[in-house]
Amino acid sequence: MPRDAALRLEAYLPYRLSVASNRASRWVARSYEAKFGLSIWQWRVMAVLGGADRLTAQELTAATAMDKVNVSRAVRALIERGLVNRQKHQSDGRSALLELTPAGRSVYDEVAPVALRHEAALLDGFSPDEIRLLTDLLLRLERRAEDLAQD
């Protein structure tokens, strides 16, 4: 194999995306954990539920792109803390609908501004055009990865 065809991990896009995501997530998760006692997985579930009426665990898994096991653990912990409520799905007895409780909504309302401040700090130094471009490129990468996973 020619040397220039070898994998250079530091230049490998999936690796760079993973490292950037892990570092940003760890940084943000520290404040969620310290102030609110939430893991990054629990916050992601709450964030999605905060923007929706009620969702099934399957819909949460799709929305967060998290593993089903992580969604299940996060949901179980949030239910135990009284932050999420599970109700039987009236038209599909095999699934349940999940929603934030009033206490969960209160925590969400406290955490959301913290999340937005973290995002602003992370993007400090980027122009509005760069932020739009980055967002567009990431969305395109997500769609492409999803398309490839379907094949």
Side-chain angles (χ1 to χ4, degrees), residues 37-99:
L38 296 171
S39 72
I40 192 69
W41 312 115
Q42 292 166 358
W43 166 243
R44 286 182 184 167
V45 166
M46 288 190 68
V48 171
L49 289 175
D53 286 332
R54 289 187 257 160
L55 297 173
T56 65
Q58 184 177 8
E59 290 168 327
L60 268 173
T61 300
T64 60
M66 288 168 43
D67 181 81
K68 284 194 291 190
V69 172
N70 288 330
V71 169
S72 178
R73 286 182 184 149
V75 166
R76 188 171 34 254
L78 293 168
I79 289 171
E80 288 172 7
R81 287 185 57 187
L83 301 176
V84 168
N85 185 37
R86 180 190 333 245
Q87 296 178 341
K88 287 258 186 216
H89 197 296
Q90 291 183 342
S91 61
D92 180 0
R94 296 170 296 160
S95 66
L97 292 170
L98 303 164
E99 64 184 342

Side-chain angles (χ1 to χ4, degrees), residues 2 6-7 16 34 36 39 49 52 67 73 78 80 82 91 100 108 113 115 118 120 141 144:
L7 175 64
R16 294 276 33 114
F36 304 100
S39 72
L49 289 175
D67 181 81
R73 286 182 184 149
L78 293 168
E80 288 172 7
S91 61
L100 293 179
Y108 172 84
H118 278 84
L141 278 171
R144 181 66 179 145

Side-chain angles (χ1 to χ4, degrees), residues 93-121:
R94 296 170 296 160
S95 66
L97 292 170
L98 303 164
E99 64 184 342
L100 293 179
T101 63
R105 175 62 61 185
S106 178
V107 170
Y108 172 84
D109 290 342
E110 281 188 72
V111 179
V114 173
L116 292 172
R117 285 194 299 273
H118 278 84
E119 179 188 42

